[in-house]
Amino acid sequence: MSTIIGIDLGTSTTEAAVIRDGKPVMIVNPEKEIITPSAVGLDTSGNWVVGERARAQYLLSPENTAIEVKRKIGTDEEIKLGRQAYTPVKLSAKLLEYVRNYASEFLGEEVTRAVISVPAYFDEIQRQATVRAGMEAGLQVERIINEPTAAALSYGLEHMEEESHVLVYDLGGGTFDVTLLEMFDGVLEVKASNGDNKLGGKDFDEKLMLWLNEQFMNKHNVDLRKDTYAMVKLKEEAERCKKVLSTQPSCHVSVPMIIEKNGAPLALDEEVTAERFEEITRELIERTHQPIDVVLADSGVLPSEIDRVILVGGSTRMPIVAKDIQEYLNILPSQAVNPDYAVAEGAAIQAGMIQGSIRPEEGIVMTDVNPYTLGIRVMDEMTDDRMSVVIPRNVTIPTTRSQIYYTSWDDQTVAHIEVYQGESSIASSNHFLGDFAVGGIPFGKAGKEKIGVQFSYDLNGMLDVKASILSTGKEASIEINMLENKTSQNNRIDVSNWKESPIARQFRTAVRRGEKALKDPKIQYEPFLEEEIEECLYYLKEALVEENLEAALEAEEDLMEVLSDLE
Ligand SMILES: Nc1ncnc2c1ncn2[C@@H]1O[C@H](COP(=O)(O)OP(=O)(O)OP(=O)(O)O)[C@@H](O)[C@H]1O
Ligand SMILES: [Mg+2]
């Protein structure tokens, strides 16, 4: 069986790891480095350059190089390299292909399978885009794992005997994630996860750039933002300065010829103190508090009950991070994992668990949480577009939850189930995942018949939604693959050959009336009527194909009843 590797596909940097003798080992790239810059570009001859070479090229020709692609993944915003535009998926695929190649070299075998980590706060569209990037890079994506969960796994592998609440604080290049886990008896349970997918080291760089530019404008009355080269230089310097300030009290920023004014070169020359840097980035650090509060509230854990804070992500090297955590939560973060490697290591541990190279008895039982609320669209007195929650956000998965619903109007024969993901109370404002219908509801007054809806969500990202009419036991279901957004309707047969049924003849008129009604423009003004007719038609045709006369007569009656609504 081919080896599954773990990949931390980051905004700024990318790392990969693999399990050797039950422990994660970081994979080294062709530059003999473990950390690969997440940069992709085209060189002057139009060849792809990736990693360190692309990062270096960015300084010279930013127009041919892409950085921080992860911030755009899942959107249809294209990224230009020269004159050609590329999708974020395509560029991420180039990066992953590079990783796949050096991992193959490192392992001495063709690598074709991977576990890839994503921020816990990525939505399904971003996750699916990441899976597609993996596929385009020739990798079968065995699992998408949340980055903080991965980091906790890498911590957990060495600390299984502990019983504690662990807070993972991950401040990377582009995203901030905070996750609360509970460890006991070898079980690592994710209690809650939250974050800000627009907060990371990059924003600290930008604050400093802005400040440096203000100083420059005051002195020279020239705005560096007009000039691409100056901005690239400024960004490079700002990031370097930020890193220096993680260990030094001050840093000198100096670029001799950053821009020209009236033909004469101007220099950027500024002293930045750690104090000043903290002051101009305080607002960013404060933005970490809200996700922390949400995680504590959602998990029902008090700050005093947190036993350990684990720092992950390059940006946690900024001293202000530990200082702020100590002030805000009154706990000193521990240096228990390597902030640059923990996520890739955890992804590799997950890969090892799938592969069996980490055996359950020495390994860890793991759970995760679903990051977004899952539910269905329902009607109430006010609206027909209310989101009814079935699995709330931050519930531990795997999980199965059910709800009972009632028929909404007299003689409703079909329940149409639309599945949504998101936090809005208006269903259609959320992300639509799939729909199906269950028919054959016996006639009766509104509210008389009960419909049970059950959601089962597992760690492989499969969401199973089942609906059943409680009085008759009639069921229908849908399986939504949250990783690929492929849905498959179950319990459905091909009814296209219904005409060939020996009992078709006496029902032809009914089918024809149903199909004609679907083309009637009036149908749009009646809620759910179109779906009801479609469903009744399906059940009638199904009965015909199955040569079940009794069921066909019943379905015909339902259909006629529904059609009478249109008149
Ligand atoms: N010594 C340091 N001091 C301050 N910041 C640092 C230091 N080293 C790295 N960084 C910052 O850490 C960020 C990169 O961190 P990391 O590699 O963990 O992010 P990532 O995994 O690529 O991003 P994400 O997890 O958000 O997708 C960059 O913004 C970088 O400037
Ligand atoms: Mg990261």
Side-chain angles (χ1 to χ4, degrees):
M1 199 163 67
S2 66
T3 309
I4 311 173
I5 62 167
I7 303 174
D8 173 6
L9 180 63
T11 310
S12 320
T13 70
T14 295
E15 297 81 20
V18 66
I19 297 300
R20 286 265 170 86
D21 303 321
K23 289 214 165 21
V25 171
M26 297 303 293
I27 300 177
V28 177
N29 71 19
E31 323 269 343
K32 309 250 177 310
E33 298 285 349
I34 286 170
I35 298 176
T36 299
S38 302
V40 183
L42 290 170
D43 68 11
T44 43
S45 351
N47 298 315
W48 288 100
V49 284
V50 183
E52 182 49 38
R53 282 183 53 210
R55 198 199 64 83
Q57 169 181 302
Y58 179 74
L59 291 175
L60 303 170
S61 64
E63 64 286 354
N64 293 316
T65 321
I67 59 165
E68 293 160 2
V69 172
K70 185 174 172 179
R71 282 206 158 185
K72 300 217 170 95
I73 198 141
T75 70
D76 28 83
E77 209 176 312
E78 299 215 312
I79 298 160
K80 271 201 157 163
L81 298 182
R83 255 170 288 148
Q84 184 80 22
Y86 296 91
T87 62
V89 167
K90 170 84 183 174
L91 297 179
S92 301
K94 280 288 157 202
L95 196 56
L96 287 169
E97 186 180 55
Y98 179 78
V99 174
R100 183 168 91 88
N101 287 337
Y102 76 66
S104 299
E105 185 79 17
F106 182 89
L107 295 179
E109 69 171 73
E110 176 87 356
V111 171
T112 56
R113 304 165 73 196
V115 170
I116 303 178
S117 61
V118 297
Y121 232 55
F122 257 25
D123 64 22
E124 292 316 312
I125 296 172
Q126 292 167 304
R127 283 163 202 261
Q128 284 151 18
T130 306
V131 171
R132 258 187 295 129
M135 278 166 20
E136 281 186 29
L139 288 167
Q140 189 178 324
V141 182
E142 302 286 336
R143 179 80 62 86
I144 288 286
I145 185 174
N146 288 334
E147 285 163 14
T149 308
L153 267 181
S154 102
Y155 174 78
L157 194 65
E158 300 289 333
H159 299 85
M160 277 328 289
E161 69 293 351
E162 282 178 25
E163 292 198 359
S164 51
H165 286 123
V166 178
L167 187 97
V168 178
Y169 181 110
D170 181 350
L171 190 60
T175 54
F176 173 61
D177 265 318
V178 48
T179 298
L180 197 109
L181 299 104
E182 190 174 346
M183 288 171 47
F184 59 93
D185 274 350
V187 176
L188 194 69
E189 183 169 315
V190 180
K191 297 297 235 184
S193 221
N194 203 282
D196 184 338
N197 58 10
K198 295 268 156 20
L199 178 63
K202 177 189 188 292
D203 302 291
F204 288 76
D205 302 344
E206 277 166 11
K207 284 272 185 217
L208 188 51
M209 285 166 74
L210 218 59
W211 184 82
L212 287 168
N213 188 46
E214 267 169 31
Q215 311 311 306
F216 193 82
M217 284 198 295
N218 288 344
K219 281 185 195 159
H220 304 288
N221 206 15
V222 176
D223 190 342
L224 296 172
R225 282 174 295 188
K226 291 180 308 201
D227 185 276
T228 317
Y229 167 79
M231 285 309 278
V232 168
K233 254 342 254 181
L234 190 61
K235 182 176 167 61
E236 163 94 345
E237 271 303 298
E239 188 179 4
R240 186 191 64 82
C241 173
K242 172 185 77 175
K243 289 182 182 171
V244 168
L245 293 176
S246 290
T247 51
Q248 310 290 321
S250 74
C251 174
H252 195 83
V253 176
S254 154
V255 185
M257 290 181 286
I258 193 157
I259 204 164
E260 281 189 359
K261 185 184 183 183
N262 308 328
L266 293 177
L268 172 71
D269 194 39
E270 208 64 51
E271 188 74 15
V272 187
T273 63
E275 227 175 352
R276 168 78 66 196
F277 180 64
E278 283 189 12
E279 191 184 299
I280 59 184
T281 58
R282 173 144 306 274
E283 180 246 330
L284 297 175
I285 279 293
E286 274 164 8
R287 271 170 57 195
T288 63
H289 296 168
Q290 203 219 342
I292 294 176
D293 291 345
V294 172
V295 158
L296 291 176
D298 281 358
S299 59
V301 169
L302 298 170
S304 59
E305 292 170 324
I306 301 171
D307 301 291
R308 202 167 277 279
V309 176
I310 300 176
L311 298 182
V312 181
S315 297
T316 59
R317 293 220 168 79
M318 294 184 293
I320 190 174
V321 168
K323 223 192 290 176
D324 183 69
I325 293 169
Q326 189 163 22
E327 271 168 29
Y328 197 65
L329 295 172
N330 197 23
I331 177 166
L332 193 66
S334 59
Q335 315 278 313
V337 299
N338 180 318
D340 294 318
Y341 303 169
V343 173
E345 285 175 352
I349 293 168
Q350 174 69 74
M353 285 158 67
I354 294 170
Q355 192 140 47
S357 54
I358 289 188
R359 271 175 287 128
E361 57 268 30
E362 61 184 335
I364 307 163
V365 182
M366 210 197 42
T367 69
D368 209 327
V369 289
N370 82 309
Y372 290 93
T373 297
L374 295 165
I376 66 169
R377 175 164 126 177
V378 295
M379 265 174 109
D380 60 20
E381 303 80 46
M382 312 295 294
T383 165
D384 65 356
D385 193 12
R386 190 166 69 76
M387 175 83 170
S388 169
V389 175
V390 182
I391 303 182
R393 116 181 141 210
N394 274 336
V395 158
T396 301
I397 51 175
T399 189
T400 295
R401 297 266 175 129
S402 316
Q403 289 279 352
I404 303 284
Y405 298 93
Y406 297 89
T407 42
S408 304
W409 57 89
D410 293 350
D411 296 339
Q412 177 181 357
T413 54
V414 176
H416 188 236
I417 312 288
E418 290 177 26
V419 184
Y420 288 88
Q421 176 189 47
E423 309 313 314
S424 171
S425 59
I426 301 162
S428 61
S429 305
N430 292 320
H431 175 48
F432 174 73
L433 292 171
D435 64 344
F436 67 105
V438 52
I441 304 176
F443 289 146
K445 284 254 169 268
K448 180 173 165 273
E449 287 293 325
K450 293 185 187 136
I451 302 134
V453 173
Q454 178 184 300
F455 278 41
S456 300
Y457 193 14
D458 74 11
L459 284 171
N460 291 317
M462 296 304 293
L463 175 66
D464 217 355
V465 179
K466 198 161 73 190
S468 52
I469 312 301
L470 298 192
S471 65
T472 65
K474 182 131 190 154
E475 275 188 4
S477 65
I478 191 172
E479 199 170 64
I480 300 166
N481 184 337
M482 304 286 267
L483 290 188
E484 286 162 23
N485 204 12
K486 270 198 219 122
T487 56
S488 52
Q489 291 222 352
N490 302 329
N491 312 347
R492 290 256 152 168
I493 59 167
D494 179 11
V495 294
S496 54
N497 288 336
W498 66 273
K499 278 187 192 148
E500 282 155 32
S501 165
I503 58 165
R505 182 174 250 255
Q506 72 181 97
F507 296 98
R508 269 194 210 148
T509 317
V511 172
R512 208 174 307 128
R513 278 187 60 192
E515 287 178 342
K516 203 169 136 225
L518 286 176
K519 298 191 188 110
D520 190 329
K522 281 204 300 279
I523 199 168
Q524 288 165 16
Y525 302 107
E526 294 283 339
F528 301 124
L529 190 59
E530 184 173 356
E531 290 90 341
E532 282 203 58
I533 296 172
E534 277 171 357
E535 282 310 298
C536 289
L537 270 172
Y538 171 81
Y539 285 114
L540 176 54
K541 290 177 184 173
E542 180 190 52
L544 295 177
V545 172
E546 287 170 352
E547 299 175 26
N548 182 340
L549 185 60
E550 202 185 330
L553 286 167
E554 226 175 87
E556 182 187 34
E557 197 183 328
D558 289 352
L559 179 64
M560 290 308 152
E561 178 72 23
V562 173
L563 288 179
S564 69
D565 285 352
L566 199 60
E567 266 119 48

